[in-house]
């Protein structure tokens, strides 16, 4: 009498190829091995993918910044080297434990967003992220330029922009619109270079710290205003509210104060 082989692998291989049990087991094992390999590759490649995305984002931001009227000359004159940091908007300081590489993961957690009351929510955001990635240009120990992503609600929907402030944290160096849904030929003119060129030199806050920036209804008449866009009053109002929110205490206000007094 032949001795029984208790090795399950050999017993499986001994089954005829047309065996349904053998087919199902082999298919399961192949699927399991493939799943392990795919999962392992994902884990191994994730840091590389994250680094590549960060590099692509940095390159996109650099191209965007150089597209701001006059910004390329300003960067070249100052060495052209931008650094980036994730800040805690509540404190105006560098975030603890959140980097540019982990920012999107952090913001996927709803706990890292702050609901805004009706009185706070002048930009129509409903909630504000607790962290934001900003870009700095330094000359020695001094910050000569800061680039701030801002977002708000216009007439046609959300618009996003990159705001550049000089080292005094009160004078606009330039602005670039990165996304909008405004009406072409009307509010859509916010992306026209001719309108964006009116921003450099505009002040955003008065001596008391109150945010005074405004898109005028017509030609600008004060040092805190930029020209309005004919036929796009609601777009201008939305842009004004966006700027006033992000430059105020619930936006970048704590950061701007810290930089202005040399504490960042």
């Amino acid at each position: 009498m032949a001795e029984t082989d208790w090795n399950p692998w050999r017993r499986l291989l001994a089954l005829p190829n047309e065996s349904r049990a053998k087919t199902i087991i082999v298919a399961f094992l192949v699927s399991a091995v493939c799943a392990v390999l795919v999962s392992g590759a994902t884990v191994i490649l994730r840091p590389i993918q994250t680094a590549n995305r960060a590099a692509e984002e940095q390159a996109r931001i650099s191209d965007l910044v150089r597209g701001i009227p006059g910004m390329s000359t300003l960067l070249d004159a100052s060495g052209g080297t931008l650094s980036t940091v994730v800040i805690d908007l509540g404190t105006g300081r560098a975030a603890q434990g959140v980097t540019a590489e982990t920012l999107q993961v952090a913001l996927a957690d709803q706990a890292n967003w702050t609901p805004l009351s009706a009185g706070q929510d002048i930009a129509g955001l409903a909630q504000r992220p607790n962290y934001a990635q900003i870009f700095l240009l330094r000359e020695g120990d001094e910050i000569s330029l800061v680039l701030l992503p801002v977002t708000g609600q216009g007439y046609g929907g959300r618009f996003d922009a990159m705001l550049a402030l000089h080292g005094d944290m009160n004078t606009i160096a330039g602005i670039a619109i990165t996304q909008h849904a405004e009406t072409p030929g009307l509010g859509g003119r916010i992306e026209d270079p001719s309108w964006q060129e009116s921003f450099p030199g505009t002040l955003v806050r008065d001596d008391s710290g109150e945010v005074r920036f405004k898109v005028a209804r017509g030609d600008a008449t004060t040092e805190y205003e930029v020209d309005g866009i004919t036929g796009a009053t609601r777009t201008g109002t939305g842009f004004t509210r966006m700027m006033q929110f992000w430059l105020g205490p619930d936006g970048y206000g704590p950061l701007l104060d810290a930089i202005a007094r040399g504490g960042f």
Side-chain angles (χ1 to χ4, degrees), residues 199-224:
F199 279 73
T202 304
L203 302 183
V204 297
R205 299 193 289 183
D206 61 22
D207 292 340
S208 70
E210 179 183 356
V211 179
R212 296 278 303 279
F213 174 88
K214 183 178 181 181
V215 177
R217 293 191 176 186
D219 294 336
T221 58
T222 74
E223 58 189 350
Y224 305 102

Side-chain angles (χ1 to χ4, degrees), residues 143-145 165-172 203 205 256 259-260:
I143 295 175
S144 60
L145 194 73
L165 294 177
H166 285 296
D168 64 356
M169 298 298 110
N170 197 44
T171 306
I172 296 177
L203 302 183
R205 299 193 289 183
L256 302 183
I259 295 176

Side-chain angles (χ1 to χ4, degrees), residues 114-128 241 244-245 250:
T114 297
L116 299 171
S117 67
Q120 294 172 308
D121 192 22
I122 58 176
L125 302 175
Q127 58 182 356
R128 184 217 67 191
R241 291 175 177 173
Q244 290 182 346
F245 173 81
D250 296 311

Side-chain angles (χ1 to χ4, degrees), residues 123 152-159 180-184 186-188 190 231-239 241:
Q153 288 293 324
Y155 173 67
R158 169 175 164 165
F159 41 49
H180 75 86
E182 300 304 278
T183 306
L186 294 173
I190 59 174
T233 301
R234 292 187 182 181
T235 298
T237 299
F239 205 95
R241 291 175 177 173

